[in-house]
């Protein structure tokens, strides 16, 4: 439909997310989609049964704005068990419509026009649009290739009187890198004596490999006192389409978060919350996630060993980065599009996460897929690039 309006866009440079672009290209080409980060397998049917049971029991009206008490209590219990942190389920936990909403709401609740927010590049693509939407400015600290480690001296040099927030993400999307307890101590040193808020995106908190332990900001007392920590049931229980997550924060920060949350989405699907509260009682369901995905990571890496891709370390998340410079001189976006169209495997170009388009000739594969999906993708890659 045509419109007679002259649209003066607030965000003329803001395009469509790379995930949407590559998933559409994969669908158009009939390619194996290892680009967008979602599983192609089912979650536990008992979780679906629990939702249905609560729907049939009449739990279909608005829940409290902050989330169902049973789910908030379960979240507080998990945080205590994993990180030794006592959080108040009433004033320090809020259930959200996914992690993306949680991140946007945290930024909107804390960042004012003219404020600066430090982010680490490669940077997940929803952070900067959220910052700019509320009138803030993103300031970029570069993770050091190829380990994607932070340079805390650089971060400290970027802080100004306008710095309002630092966003950290571990396990890190898209690189699979982890922040260590040493990194958390450096972060604490960096913000000590300031009013800087930390927003910690920990949606892959249960997906770490080779015996690594997650360094949650919830478990670092000094940082927890100034942090909004975000996690996701979608990533943990293979239900990304449910769009349910949560935040944990000190009561004073949570009060600011909820001021926006109540007018943003207000609340989240009632029967799903009750089902998740039940499902969380079996801790093996999140404690077993690392081994589940490590098996997929190891199998996928073994399959790609027969190709010229250079696999970078994958310490967490369900993403595998690979350098392709022994295969092609194409820029990574052009290579990703060519790989999708001509080879039949869709990936994400990592330059899409760089503010300046920095191109290290690295693409991201998602291995949160069935074994047959990964095998089909590997077969196409081996046929195209056999050593």
């Amino acid at each position: 439909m045509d419109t007679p309006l002259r649209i003066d866009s607030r965000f003329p440079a803001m395009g469509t997310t790379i995930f949407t672009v590559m998933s559409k290209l994969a669908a158009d080409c009939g390619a194996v989609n290892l680009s967008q980060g979602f599983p192609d397998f089912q979650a536990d049917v008992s979780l679906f049964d629990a939702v249905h049971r609560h729907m049939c029991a009449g739990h279909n009206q608005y829940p409290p704005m902050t989330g169902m008490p049973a789910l908030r209590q379960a979240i507080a219990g998990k945080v205590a068990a994993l990180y030794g942190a006592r959080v108040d389920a009433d004033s320090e936990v809020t259930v959200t419509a996914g992690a993306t909403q949680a991140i946007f709401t945290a930024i909107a609740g804390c960042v004012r026009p003219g404020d600066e927010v430090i982010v680490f590049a490669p940077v997940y693509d929803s952070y900067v649009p959220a910052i700019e939407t509320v009138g803030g400015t993103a300031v970029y600290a570069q993770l050091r290739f190829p380990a994607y480690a932070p340079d805390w001296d650089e971060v400290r040099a970027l802080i100004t009187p306008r710095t309002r927030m630092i966003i950290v993400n571990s396990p890190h999307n898209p690189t699979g890198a982890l922040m260590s307890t040493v990194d958390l101590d450096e972060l604490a040193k960096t913000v000590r004596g300031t009013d800087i808020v930390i927003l910690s995106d920990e949606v892959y908190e249960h997906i770490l490999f080779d015996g690594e332990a997650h360094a949650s900001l919830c478990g670092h007392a000094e940082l927890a006192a100034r942090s909004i920590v975000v996690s996701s049931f979608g990533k943990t229980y293979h239900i990304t389409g449910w769009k349910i997550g949560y935040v944990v924060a000190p009561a004073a920060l949570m009060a600011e978060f909820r001021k926006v949350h109540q007018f943003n989405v207000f609340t989240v699907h009632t029967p799903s919350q009750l089902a998740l509260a039940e499902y969380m009682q079996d801790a093996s369901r999140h404690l077993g996630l690392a081994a589940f995905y490590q098996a997929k990571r190891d199998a996928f890496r073994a399959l790609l060993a027969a190709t010229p891709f250079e696999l970078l370390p994958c310490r967490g998340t369900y993403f595998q980065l690979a350098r392709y410079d022994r295969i092609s001189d194409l820029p990574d976006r052009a290579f990703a599009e060519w790989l999708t169209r001509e080879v039949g495997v869709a990936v994400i170009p990592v330059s899409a996460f760089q503010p300046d388009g920095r191109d290290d000739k690295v693409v991201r594969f998602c291995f949160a897929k069935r074994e047959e999906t990964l095998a089909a993708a590997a077969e196409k890659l081996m046929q195209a690039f056999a050593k």
Side-chain angles (χ1 to χ4, degrees), residues 22-361:
M22 294 309 301
S23 282
K24 182 179 185 303
L25 184 60
D28 291 346
C29 298
V32 180
N33 188 0
L34 301 189
S35 59
Q36 196 168 356
F38 59 83
D40 69 347
F41 46 84
Q42 275 284 35
D44 186 346
V45 70
S46 68
L47 184 55
F48 309 150
D49 292 341
V51 175
H52 183 253
R53 178 164 33 82
H54 285 292
M55 292 173 72
C56 292
H59 300 295
N60 300 299
Q61 308 310 321
Y62 292 127
M65 177 267 287
T66 57
M68 290 298 288
L71 182 54
R72 286 186 281 112
Q73 287 286 355
I75 292 165
K78 187 182 84 165
V79 170
L82 290 178
Y83 310 123
R86 299 275 178 196
V87 298
D88 185 88
D90 291 330
S91 63
E92 297 181 326
V93 179
T94 300
V95 180
T96 63
T100 302
Q101 181 251 315
I103 289 164
F104 179 89
T105 300
I107 291 168
C110 296
V111 177
R112 300 154 297 200
D115 284 346
E116 295 177 348
V117 179
I118 295 175
V119 298
F120 292 86
V123 56
Y124 185 69
D125 72 342
S126 77
Y127 301 168
V128 174
I131 294 163
E132 293 178 345
T133 295
V134 300
T137 299
V139 177
Y140 297 91
Q142 186 67 49
L143 296 173
R144 301 308 180 199
F145 181 78
Y148 296 103
D151 180 338
W152 294 108
D153 288 334
E154 179 192 10
V155 175
R156 285 185 274 272
L158 293 173
I159 292 177
T160 74
R162 293 186 299 277
T163 305
R164 175 62 173 162
M165 176 180 281
I166 298 174
I167 302 179
V168 295
N169 173 206
S170 179
H172 184 260
N173 182 7
T175 69
L178 304 180
M179 290 181 66
S180 67
T181 55
V182 173
D183 288 314
L184 297 197
D185 288 341
E186 287 288 340
L187 177 58
K189 173 182 170 184
T190 299
V191 298
R192 194 171 294 147
T194 74
D195 290 323
I196 295 171
V197 176
I198 308 299
L199 175 56
S200 185
D201 178 353
E202 302 183 16
V203 301
Y204 296 99
E205 64 177 318
H206 302 301
I207 310 177
L208 295 89
F209 308 130
D210 305 315
E212 298 267 16
H214 176 50
S216 174
L217 272 67
C218 287
H220 190 290
E222 184 177 358
L223 290 174
R226 63 168 73 233
S227 296
I228 300 172
V229 177
V230 178
S231 195
S232 164
F233 292 113
K235 300 299 190 297
T236 301
Y237 295 137
H238 320 307
I239 48 170
T240 61
W242 287 26
K243 295 298 293 179
I244 303 179
Y246 62 87
V247 297
V248 174
L253 278 177
M254 189 62 80
E256 298 304 306
F257 180 93
R258 289 173 176 176
K259 289 176 183 178
V260 178
H261 174 78
Q262 66 183 333
F263 297 116
N264 185 345
V265 297
F266 180 67
T267 193
V268 179
H269 191 249
T270 302
S272 294
Q273 289 196 55
L274 291 170
L276 285 165
E278 287 183 17
Y279 198 72
M280 289 180 70
Q281 299 311 308
D282 183 351
S284 68
R285 289 166 169 154
H286 56 262
L287 296 178
L289 200 62
F292 173 80
Y293 275 122
Q294 181 163 335
K296 289 186 177 295
R297 181 203 66 170
D298 293 349
F300 186 59
R301 287 176 67 93
L303 288 169
L304 290 195
T307 74
F309 284 103
E310 179 189 344
L311 302 181
L312 299 183
C314 172
R315 300 173 65 198
T317 76
Y318 45 54
F319 303 115
Q320 174 64 61
L321 295 194
R323 298 179 75 172
Y324 64 86
D325 53 340
R326 290 181 291 193
I327 296 172
S328 172
D329 290 326
L330 287 172
D332 66 354
R333 182 151 188 162
F335 178 77
E337 293 173 353
W338 175 83
L339 196 70
T340 304
R341 289 193 177 97
E342 302 300 326
V343 178
V345 178
V347 295
I348 295 290
V350 172
S351 69
F353 302 92
Q354 297 280 13
D356 57 359
R358 170 178 168 158
D359 185 356
D360 294 309
K361 290 189 166 47

Side-chain angles (χ1 to χ4, degrees), residues 9-21 125-126 129 132 333 352:
S9 175
R10 280 192 66 199
F11 309 106
M14 195 177 294
T16 302
T17 172
I18 190 65
F19 306 113
T20 299
V21 170
D125 72 342
S126 77
E132 293 178 345
R333 182 151 188 162

